[in-house]
Amino acid sequence: MATYIFRLYCQRTDATKNMARYYALSMQPTLFGEIAVVRRWGRIGSRGGEKTEVFATEREAAMHFLDLARRKRQKGYRPVGNCGNPGLLNASSPSRQ
């Protein structure tokens, strides 16, 4: 079972190039005790593509997840909101005190 929940939703937009793309990553446990890294991508508003890769350990899956996130950030994708992660505040929301 997964110890940590990893989710990431990024967008890359450029109005001058008519570009509006999204890229979503998540780590999910499988029914057989493995960990899957699920990727979804496409044009914002479309269904796009999906790919699932299964890893024997959570560590291997997390390393792959972080590598994919790093590569997308280098290409100009930026996270949107808190990406569905519990306990994280949206950057635009007021801080709690």
Side-chain angles (χ1 to χ4, degrees):
M1 183 170 187
T3 306
Y4 300 101
I5 297 172
F6 284 88
R7 286 188 214 130
L8 179 64
Y9 178 80
C10 298
Q11 291 182 347
R12 181 177 175 195
T13 57
D14 186 343
T16 63
K17 296 179 183 178
N18 192 28
M19 179 190 306
R21 300 178 184 167
Y22 71 90
Y23 191 81
L25 276 172
S26 65
M27 281 179 42
Q28 304 170 0
T30 68
L31 293 174
F32 304 106
E34 301 161 319
I35 303 293
V37 174
V38 180
R39 310 186 229 183
R40 293 178 184 90
W41 66 89
R43 186 165 174 83
I44 295 172
S46 72
R47 184 170 179 191
E50 182 176 316
K51 182 175 183 178
T52 301
E53 297 169 281
V54 178
F55 296 88
T57 67
E58 187 172 2
R59 184 176 193 277
E60 291 173 323
M63 288 174 45
H64 185 65
F65 179 100
L66 294 171
D67 182 53
L68 291 170
R70 179 188 52 80
R71 286 192 273 161
K72 286 300 173 182
R73 183 157 179 93
Q74 288 175 340
K75 289 187 176 188
Y77 284 83
R78 297 294 176 248
V80 177
N82 67 5
C83 305
N85 294 304
L88 297 178
L89 293 175
N90 187 333
S92 63
S93 67
S95 63
R96 295 180 189 160
Q97 295 187 357

